[in-house]
Amino acid sequence: MHINIENQDCVLGMKSLPGESVDVVITSPPYNIGIAYNSYDDKGTREDYLNWTRDWTHGVNRVLKDDGSFFINIGASPKDPLLPHQIALQLSEDFVLQNTFHWIKAVSVETREGDTVSAGHFKPINSKRYVTDCHEYVFHFTKHGNVPLDRLAIGVPYADKSNIARWGHTDGKDKRCRGNTWFVPYETIKSRSKDRPHPATFPAKLAEHCIRIHGEPEQSCVMDPFLGIGHSLRAAQACKASQFIGFEIDPDYFKEAQTLTHSQHAST
């Protein structure tokens, strides 16, 4: 895989790319909720934040292919639940919202036997007004809303195997569409400073889902305008994408992402 990652502002970096040259964009920008990044002030006015969002997503629109996919992961704080929806409305100026996926970080499910099974990781909230937030959004934007997806690339087996023969669309295969709720827990780590030295990351598996469901990852150029410590790069490597482009403004986070390029060279 050809990797091109740069330590610079993505708005400037994307200007150097040819138009309609990227197949898949998967990213998670700052949420403007006061996260303590090293080099970015995450607490501006809502107007300034949405104007900035317009700037960098214009860049994405220019470099994205006509049949490309733009996956943007956005969360919210309990005090500011409208943020993801305002960003989605902002992006609708340039894109069509084709799918909305719900990234489930933690979930509790009651079995048929009456037992409760809890899985995943979450940050508990001690509040009389709000419940603990265990999910975020992944909005899937395209230019025209008609991009075909490889839905079974992240498919799951049927719980009731009789459905395989009952439904003609299965073609006899034990795999169905996963749907728009994706349970992707964080990996368990021992040390935040060593294993995940970034205050706001998504699991590489979440980015893998996005790349695979778009289809034909081996032929895809994947881009992340907010590279962070490189989880989207890890996903592109796992999917064997043909090319990866990333931008990260913070030098410390960028150095972490660079280690992934070194490990790829060592294994080739």
Side-chain angles (χ1 to χ4, degrees):
M1 180 175 68
H2 177 71
I3 300 174
N4 177 23
I5 60 174
E6 298 182 15
N7 180 201
Q8 69 166 314
D9 187 303
C10 66
V11 176
L12 298 175
M14 284 188 285
K15 290 181 178 180
S16 67
L17 301 178
E20 297 192 10
S21 58
V22 175
D23 297 282
V24 182
V25 176
I26 167 67
T27 197
S28 182
Y31 297 171
N32 201 42
I33 58 175
I35 292 176
Y37 294 104
N38 286 345
S39 304
Y40 174 80
D41 182 2
D42 193 44
K43 199 60 177 175
T45 67
R46 182 56 56 88
E47 181 181 4
D48 287 345
Y49 178 74
L50 291 177
N51 285 336
W52 172 74
T53 298
R54 182 182 290 109
D55 288 342
W56 73 262
T57 56
H58 278 346
V60 169
N61 184 272
R62 187 186 69 82
V63 303
L64 188 69
K65 291 183 180 179
D66 204 48
D67 59 352
S69 288
F70 173 23
F71 297 92
I72 177 171
N73 162 226
I74 294 290
S77 69
K79 294 181 180 179
D80 192 8
L82 288 178
L83 175 66
H85 309 287
Q86 288 183 303
I87 292 176
L89 288 172
Q90 178 78 70
L91 267 64
S92 66
E93 295 179 1
D94 287 338
F95 302 92
V96 175
L97 180 59
Q98 185 166 323
N99 289 283
T100 298
F101 299 102
H102 301 268
W103 167 27
I104 310 301
K105 302 178 183 180
V107 65
S108 295
V109 179
E110 290 189 4
T111 67
R112 294 178 180 177
E113 292 75 25
D115 298 324
T116 299
V117 178
S118 296
H121 303 274
F122 61 88
K123 183 178 180 180
I125 295 177
N126 184 18
S127 171
K128 293 183 178 181
R129 293 187 293 163
Y130 306 117
V131 298
T132 298
D133 193 359
C134 298
H135 104 293
E136 293 187 12
Y137 295 95
V138 178
F139 295 121
H140 171 222
F141 285 96
T142 59
K143 289 190 173 181
H144 306 291
N146 59 0
V147 173
L149 300 178
D150 187 358
R151 304 194 313 157
L152 297 186
I154 58 169
V156 295
Y158 282 94
D160 184 349
K161 303 304 181 185
S162 65
N163 288 329
I164 301 172
R166 182 182 301 122
W167 295 337
H169 68 267
T170 66
D171 292 327
K173 299 177 181 177
D174 185 14
K175 187 176 284 190
R176 64 169 179 81
C177 175
R178 182 180 294 266
N180 65 353
T181 53
W182 295 352
F183 173 55
V184 185
Y186 282 106
E187 297 177 2
T188 301
I189 58 176
K190 295 181 179 180
S191 170
R192 180 64 184 260
S193 61
K194 293 181 179 179
D195 299 330
R196 196 183 296 150
H198 189 284
T201 60
F202 53 52
K205 196 70 176 181
L206 182 69
E208 279 189 46
H209 279 5
C210 296
I211 296 169
R212 294 187 190 282
I213 202 170
H214 175 77
E216 300 183 336
E218 297 87 355
Q219 303 175 31
S220 294
C221 173
V222 179
M223 183 182 78
D224 187 348
F226 301 94
L227 180 61
I229 58 175
H231 284 192
S232 55
L233 172 54
R234 283 177 50 193
Q237 290 172 323
C239 294
K240 302 185 185 305
S242 64
Q243 184 178 358
F244 182 87
I245 301 169
F247 302 100
E248 174 51 49
I249 197 170
D250 183 85
D252 292 330
Y253 302 152
F254 181 74
K255 287 179 182 178
E256 290 290 332
Q258 278 187 308
T259 63
L260 297 175
T261 67
H262 300 156
S263 63
Q264 171 170 295
H265 294 321
S267 62
T268 56

